[in-house]
């Protein structure tokens, strides 16, 4: 038997389940990007607000591309179990905030109607870095225009993707979709809608067979949509809401509301995500499957510690960065997470710009060393060969996969030309680094070291220096 509204009552008593009525009210939130992250992060914040009796936080979840996941969730009435596990213990919870589901590619009109529904007060998004396309701007604009034309109140549209200034980027995308006929909509958008920036954090790996098996054991029911996460979560959001009263409400659920999210965004993208990308690429090339297996290696751990302390922290506006760093290293080692390096290496071309570039530029401006980032970039070059150091091939899952692999293909025979060609890509490295002789020289140096002696040897040498 599956987890569903009907079987919910049969769950063991120690599993936290929704106690509120999930059918009487229309959803107040439309979420675009119904992946693992949202379901174990914001959906659990909204679950808390619903549990406190505020019926406006039910979610209409929209899968952008994957009908399989949406169908599974539909079959389970939007219910799924989350294992929250780390050094402090293991517990299971079934959040109940997901009330409706759609798939954007096949049910676009339903999504537009949902954005324009009278009950909708928020749209949240986790569509990944590569999801910020004109089509997304158009989808949101169509929904917002319909709201405006129906005389409905404005809403809060909150981007929760790992992009610097995500709210500004999203608003720009929506505005870029407008035409001359949209002057009223534009005026209404500016006056009544809010696009706050936000930083979200919780490590939520894509589910594995191990998690699904553990879920059916814990629940006594089959759950094809269960997830595993850590106890830690953070949501820092800019104090900019269509309904200003939402600030206090979100705070009551543990969300940090602040006038300035930028310093949190920067620290998180460069410390957590920057280290993640470096470890993921190292793991992919050395054949270590999970982040925990990478951080468990003393020289990789030392590399990550030094990357954050020496090259990232000097450019952050966060005085508690040493505590933040140590907490991150502990989180990376969480043995329950089984966070696949290939999952994090996915879309590296879209991630590297936010995660590495600002620290390297900061170091250059201060005439300081960028060796750790140069080594990470060299590992990225090696990664484009699509075969690990044991000879196992792997797929590059990236919108730029084809062009990256073409540029990196001959790196064993023409290493310098390949490094140059990959470092010349402004979409990854911006406009300064492709011209910076010192940067190119150091990446070339580490790349040669890696080809001759391997990633571990290079990391060891750098961290012992
Ligand atoms: C990861 C993030 O997949 C990735 O690129 O770096 O998903 C990371 O786990 C989250 O941002 C943590 O909050």
């Amino acid at each position: 038997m599956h987890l569903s509204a009907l079987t919910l009552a049969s769950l063991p008593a120690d599993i936290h389940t929704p106690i509120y009525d999930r059918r009487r009210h229309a959803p107040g939130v439309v979420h675009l990007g119904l992946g693992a992250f949202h379901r174990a992060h914001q959906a659990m914040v909204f679950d808390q607000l619903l549990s406190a009796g505020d019926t406006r936080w039910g979610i209409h979840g929209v899968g952008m591309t994957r009908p399989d996941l949406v169908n599974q969730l539909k079959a389970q009435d939007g219910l799924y179990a989350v294992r929250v596990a780390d050094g402090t213990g293991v517990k299971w919870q079934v959040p109940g905030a997901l009330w409706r589901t759609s798939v954007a590619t096949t049910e676009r009109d339903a999504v537009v109607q949902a954005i324009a529904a009278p009950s909708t007060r928020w749209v949240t998004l986790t569509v990944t870095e590569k999801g910020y396309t004109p089509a997304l701007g158009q989808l949101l604009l169509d929904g917002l225009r319909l709201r405006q034309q129906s005389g409905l109140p404005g809403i809060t549209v909150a981007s929760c993707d790992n992009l610097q200034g995500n709210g500004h980027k999203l608003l720009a995308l929506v505005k870029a979709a407008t035409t001359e006929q949209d002057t009223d909509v534009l005026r209404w958008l500016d006056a009544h809608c809010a696009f706050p920036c936000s930083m979200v954090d919780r490590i939520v790996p894509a589910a594995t067979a191990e998690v699904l098996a553990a879920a059916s054991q814990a629940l006594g029911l089959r759950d094809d949509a269960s997830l595993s996460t850590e106890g830690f979560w953070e949501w820092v959001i800019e104090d900019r809401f269509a309904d200003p009263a939402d600030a206090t409400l979100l705070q009551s659920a543990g969300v940090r509301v602040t006038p300035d999210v930028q310093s949190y965004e920067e620290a998180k993208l460069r410390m957590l995500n920057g280290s993640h990308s470096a470890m993921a690429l190292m793991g992919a090339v050395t054949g270590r499957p999970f982040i925990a297996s990478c951080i468990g290696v003393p020289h990789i751990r030392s590399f990550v510690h030094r990357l954050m302390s020496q090259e990232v922290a000097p450019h952050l506006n966060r005085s508690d960065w040493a505590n933040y760093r140590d907490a991150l290293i502990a989180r990376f080692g969480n043995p329950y997470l089984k966070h696949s390096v290939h999952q994090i290496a996915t879309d590296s071309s879209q991630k590297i710009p936010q995660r590495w570039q600002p620290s390297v530029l900061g170091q250059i401006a201060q005439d300081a060393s960028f060796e750790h980032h140069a080594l990470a970039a060299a590992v990225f070059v090696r990664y484009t060969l699509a075969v690990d150091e044991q000879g196992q091939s792997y797929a590059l899952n990236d919108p730029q996969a084809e062009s990256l692999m073409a540029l990196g293909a001959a790196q064993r025979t023409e290493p310098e030309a390949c490094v140059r060609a990959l470092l010349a890509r402004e979409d990854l490295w911006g406009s300064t680094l492709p011209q910076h002789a010192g940067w190119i020289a150091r990446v070339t140096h580490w790349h040669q070291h890696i080809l001759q002696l391997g990633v571990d040897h290079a990391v060891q040498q750098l961290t012992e220096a």
Side-chain angles (χ1 to χ4, degrees):
M1 256 209 295
H2 266 98
L3 173 63
S4 70
L6 269 178
T7 56
L8 196 57
S10 73
L11 290 179
D14 59 335
I15 297 183
H16 184 96
T17 52
I19 40 151
Y20 44 84
D21 187 345
R22 305 176 64 243
R23 295 158 62 117
R24 201 145 33 114
H25 306 276
V29 181
V30 175
H31 179 78
L32 306 184
L34 194 53
F37 182 82
H38 170 72
R39 288 185 291 128
H41 187 280
Q42 289 126 3
M44 294 176 79
V45 176
F46 298 151
D47 174 70
Q48 266 194 69
L49 292 170
L50 289 163
S51 300
D54 188 339
T55 55
R56 300 172 302 169
W57 298 95
I59 304 163
H60 183 142
V62 179
M64 298 310 278
T65 48
R66 287 185 48 193
D68 51 335
L69 174 65
V70 171
N71 289 336
Q72 271 164 4
L73 284 164
K74 220 179 225 148
Q76 298 186 180
D77 303 314
L79 296 168
Y80 53 94
V82 179
R83 181 180 70 187
V84 181
D86 52 32
T88 66
V90 179
K91 58 176 197 277
W92 287 87
Q93 182 175 344
V94 177
L98 185 61
W99 292 358
R100 276 185 208 162
T101 52
S102 302
V103 180
T105 40
T106 53
E107 298 167 298
R108 188 179 188 280
D109 195 48
V111 179
V112 171
Q113 296 294 339
I115 297 171
S119 63
T120 298
R121 301 173 64 249
W122 276 63
V123 174
T124 52
L125 296 93
T126 50
V127 295
T128 81
E129 295 87 346
K130 65 170 180 263
Y132 285 70
T133 62
L136 176 68
Q138 192 66 55
L139 177 68
L140 284 168
L141 178 67
D142 290 351
L144 291 166
R145 188 195 291 110
L146 198 55
R147 278 196 87 80
Q148 182 261 334
Q149 289 169 349
S150 322
L152 288 168
I155 57 174
T156 298
V157 185
S159 164
C160 301
D161 281 293
N162 285 325
L163 291 164
Q164 186 85 50
N166 49 18
H168 305 307
K169 290 206 167 92
L170 189 59
L171 178 58
L173 212 52
V174 172
K175 288 192 168 173
T178 57
T179 64
E180 283 148 35
Q181 274 91 60
D182 285 321
T183 39
D184 287 352
V185 185
L186 272 174
R187 213 173 302 123
W188 176 84
L189 259 181
D190 284 330
H192 302 289
C193 292
F195 286 71
C197 289
S198 73
M199 180 278 258
V200 289
D201 187 8
R202 187 171 221 181
I203 296 176
V204 191
T208 59
E210 184 255 331
V211 174
L212 300 192
S216 64
Q217 182 104 72
L219 306 179
L221 291 170
R222 192 167 145 191
D223 175 3
D224 293 330
S226 56
L227 294 169
S228 160
T229 190
E230 57 184 343
F232 180 92
W233 68 273
E234 204 174 21
W235 186 0
V236 184
I237 187 161
E238 192 182 5
D239 193 357
R240 182 195 290 272
F241 303 108
D243 178 353
D246 286 345
T248 324
L249 267 180
L250 289 173
Q251 276 164 338
S252 74
V255 177
R256 188 191 295 259
V257 179
T258 149
D260 171 34
V261 196
Q262 195 180 331
S263 52
Y264 294 93
E265 283 178 332
E266 286 176 358
K268 195 254 171 177
L269 286 168
R270 301 178 200 171
M271 299 274 266
L272 189 163
N273 298 114
S275 303
H276 247 179
S277 286
M279 281 187 284
L281 295 165
M282 285 178 186
V285 173
T286 60
R288 296 186 178 97
F290 305 118
I291 287 298
S293 28
C294 295
I295 201 76
V297 178
H299 55 265
I300 298 186
R301 189 186 189 88
S302 165
F303 174 92
V304 167
H305 189 280
R306 292 164 51 121
L307 175 100
M308 291 197 269
S309 316
Q310 299 175 12
E311 299 181 18
V312 182
H315 315 289
L316 297 179
N317 195 353
R318 189 162 170 163
S319 54
D320 63 339
W321 64 264
N323 292 335
Y324 186 54
R325 172 200 62 202
D326 296 345
L328 286 177
I329 290 180
R331 289 170 63 196
F332 294 150
N334 186 332
Y336 295 99
L337 289 180
K338 302 273 186 294
H339 203 178
S340 152
V341 294
H342 283 287
Q343 187 195 340
I344 299 171
T346 295
D347 296 347
S348 284
S349 70
Q350 316 291 303
K351 295 174 176 174
I352 285 173
Q354 296 83 243
R355 299 181 179 197
W356 293 350
Q357 221 189 89
S359 303
V360 181
L361 292 174
Q363 291 293 89
I364 289 175
Q366 295 181 355
D367 224 357
S369 156
F370 43 70
E371 288 296 287
H372 296 79
H373 282 90
L375 198 161
V379 179
F380 172 70
V381 174
R382 172 63 185 76
Y383 168 77
T384 65
L385 271 181
V387 55
D388 72 15
E389 290 176 342
Q390 282 74 49
Q392 278 288 337
S393 52
Y394 51 79
L396 247 68
N397 200 342
D398 193 301
Q400 295 295 327
E402 224 172 287
S403 70
L404 295 175
M405 285 171 71
L407 293 174
Q411 63 183 276
R412 288 196 212 271
T413 48
E414 293 168 65
E416 287 192 37
C418 284
V419 171
R420 255 175 205 286
L422 279 165
L423 291 187
R425 294 277 302 246
E426 295 197 358
D427 56 337
L428 273 90
W429 312 105
S431 56
T432 304
L433 296 182
Q435 312 294 332
H436 195 276
W439 165 251
I440 296 171
R442 294 317 293 163
V443 180
T444 306
H445 164 85
W446 287 117
H447 178 251
Q448 263 157 10
H449 193 134
I450 288 169
L451 286 186
Q452 280 159 18
L453 299 164
V455 166
D456 282 316
H457 194 278
V459 175
Q460 243 154 352
Q461 189 175 88
L462 176 61
T463 53
E464 279 161 16

